[in-house]
Amino acid sequence: MNDPASVFRALHHGRPPGDPLVLPGPWDAASARVFEEAGFPALATPSAGVAASLGYADGHTPAGEMFAAVARIAGAVSVPVSADVEAGYGLAPGELVDRLLEAGAVGCNLEDSTDGVLVAPHRQADRLAEVRAAAGGRLFVNARIDTYIHGDPDAVDVAADTVARALLYAEAGADCVYPIMAPPDTLSGLAAAVPVPVNAVGAPDGPSAVRRLGELGATRITFGPQLQRRAADAVRDLAERLLGS
């Protein structure tokens, strides 16, 4: 098990409750090196954080620039790097897989909404199956589920829809499911229902908060663009001090 994708996949399994895999999100090569030097065994880029570092609004980074940024990050460290590639930039599954592998990524996030609208679950499952077929075991596929940010609670049982989508995506070959912004108290039910690890959004406030999400059922914790935004806040504070304000 020497290839990076297998190493990355193994990090998600056999973890005791309360000890989830914590994956900080680098937005450039320098931040990636900092996280590696701190001792994290793998990293997961946030599309919004990378977008901000490149001068784009979230969701507006051209595909070529995103893959180039991922390549710089992956090339700067020796630990596995997973890449958030949003909904896949309209690329065919084979091309998406090729570009991820060319960038040096060992995994990816793929979300099930486009322009704020949820994709039909079976359609997304079919796309995930095609990505899995093209990638084989070379990529760890994290299927993001956007029901809690784009679902309509007046029209559907969001918790039940999330579980149904998670089961479909796992059956299609997803290695992990990521119900972004799911309330913490829903994690245990989801984790009990699906046969793959569950990714939760954590707050970078110390190990106790992360441990609690693990106890609730999360196997993997990511932070989206929160780390990049805190770094930007630190730079803003420095700028204010330099100006004496």
Side-chain angles (χ1 to χ4, degrees), residues 209-228:
V210 165
R211 190 179 306 115
R212 179 59 180 156
L213 288 174
E215 291 168 349
L216 289 171
T219 299
R220 159 175 161 159
I221 309 297
T222 52
F223 303 96
Q226 293 180 80
L227 304 180
Q228 181 273 329

Side-chain angles (χ1 to χ4, degrees), residues 42-136:
L43 308 173
T45 69
S47 62
V50 172
S53 76
L54 296 174
Y56 293 102
D58 184 21
H60 292 275
T61 308
E65 292 198 44
M66 183 63 75
F67 286 112
V70 170
R72 288 191 293 272
I73 290 168
V77 295
S78 60
V79 296
V81 174
S82 182
D84 181 352
V85 289
E86 304 177 74
Y89 307 110
L91 299 173
E95 183 179 358
L96 177 61
V97 168
D98 287 345
R99 295 191 71 170
L100 282 162
L101 294 173
E102 288 168 3
V106 302
C108 66
N109 281 8
L110 280 175
E111 58 199 51
D112 63 355
S113 66
T114 303
D115 297 325
V117 178
L118 285 167
V119 176
H122 284 90
R123 178 181 167 195
Q124 181 69 4
D126 288 345
R127 179 164 171 76
L128 290 167
E130 291 172 352
V131 170
R132 167 56 65 220

Side-chain angles (χ1 to χ4, degrees), residues 93-206:
E95 183 179 358
L96 177 61
V97 168
D98 287 345
R99 295 191 71 170
L100 282 162
L101 294 173
E102 288 168 3
V106 302
C108 66
N109 281 8
L110 280 175
E111 58 199 51
D112 63 355
S113 66
T114 303
D115 297 325
V117 178
L118 285 167
V119 176
H122 284 90
R123 178 181 167 195
Q124 181 69 4
D126 288 345
R127 179 164 171 76
L128 290 167
E130 291 172 352
V131 170
R132 167 56 65 220
R138 297 176 295 171
L139 286 176
F140 183 97
V141 178
N142 188 29
R144 200 180 95 172
I145 303 172
D146 288 359
T147 45
Y148 283 99
I149 56 175
H150 296 310
D152 182 357
D154 294 327
V156 68
D157 182 334
V158 175
D161 187 29
T162 302
V163 171
R165 285 174 179 264
L167 288 168
L168 275 175
Y169 300 167
E171 185 178 357
D175 295 286
C176 185
V177 292
Y178 178 19
I180 189 168
M181 304 309 293
D185 61 6
T186 67
L187 294 175
S188 58
L190 181 61
V194 298
V196 296
V198 174
N199 186 160
V201 177
D205 296 327

